[in-house]
Amino acid sequence: MKFFIDTANLDQIKEAEELGILDGVTTNPSLMAKEGITGKENIIQHYVDICNIVNGDVSAEVIATDLEGMIREGEELAKLHKNIVVKIPMIKDGIKALKYFSNKGIKTNCTLVFSAGQALLAAKAGATYVSPFIGRLDDVSYDGIELIEQIRLIYDNYMFDTQILAASVRHTMHVIKCAEVGADVMTGPLSSIVGLLKHPLTDNGLAQFLADYAKGNS
Ligand code: G3P
C-alpha cells in the first residue's frame, strides 16, 4: 500500500518524507489556498518545490472544467516534472481529458469520486489513479470504506490497472480499514500517518527496557 500525504504544507511534506515511508503527495486548490499559495506562478513554483522534496507522484489539479482548458493546463503541469500526475475532476469533459492524457502516456488522478459508477468510468477512461473521498462520504452517513471495497471488487473483476487512491482520509482507522479492503494508496494528513506509530504499550515497554538496562549498567 502506498502512503501519500494530502497537503501543500512543505514542512509537513518534509517531515513525512524524512520518515522514509512517503510515496507521494496529493494537493488540491483548497489545500493550496490554506497555505496562502495563490496566483498561477506561485502555484506552479509550489508544485516544483514539492517535487524537489518527494521522490514519488505529486498530484497537481487543473482549474479548467472544459476539455480544451483541462488539456492545456494538464499539459503545462505535466511538463513541470516527471512525477507530476494531472488531477482531473469527475465530470463529463474530465472523462474525455482522462482518455486524452492516457493516450499520451501522461499520468492522471481522477478526483471527486463518490460512487462505484464514477470509478468505473474513470478506469474505462484509463485513469492512473481514482480518488474516492471516503471522509466526505462518512460525513454524510455513507460508508466510505464500503465504496473502496466495491471499487476493489469491480476493478479486480476486470483487471483494470487504475489504482484506488483512498482520499479524504481523516485518521488512522481510515488508513487501517483501507489497507484491510485493499486500497492501492491512501492519502491523508500527516497526523493519519504518524498516528499509526502510537501505542501506550510500546511507550511503557520501552521505558521499562531502558530502566532495566540502566539498573544493570550503572
Ligand atoms: O484528498 C482529498 C482531500 O483533500 C479532501 O479531504 O478532508 O477536505 O475531505 P477533506
Side-chain angles (χ1 to χ4, degrees), residues 3-69:
F3 274 25
F4 288 1
I5 188 168
D6 193 30
T7 184
N9 182 293
L10 297 182
D11 289 335
Q12 292 187 13
I13 294 170
K14 277 182 205 142
E15 188 175 337
E17 169 65 19
E18 281 163 9
L19 273 176
I21 47 85
L22 190 66
D23 301 297
V25 178
T26 51
T27 58
N28 61 41
S30 306
L31 293 171
M32 283 286 184
K34 194 173 162 198
E35 299 307 318
I37 314 295
T38 54
K40 191 176 167 192
E41 278 180 21
N42 292 331
I43 291 172
I44 293 281
Q45 183 55 49
H46 207 69
Y47 286 134
V48 174
D49 292 344
I50 293 172
C51 289
N52 288 336
I53 298 172
V54 181
N55 185 22
D57 284 349
V58 174
S59 288
E61 188 156 342
V62 297
I63 302 301
T65 54
D66 62 299
L67 179 59
E68 203 181 297

Side-chain angles (χ1 to χ4, degrees), residues 115-126:
S115 76
Q118 291 177 326
L120 183 53
L121 279 175
K124 294 270 306 163

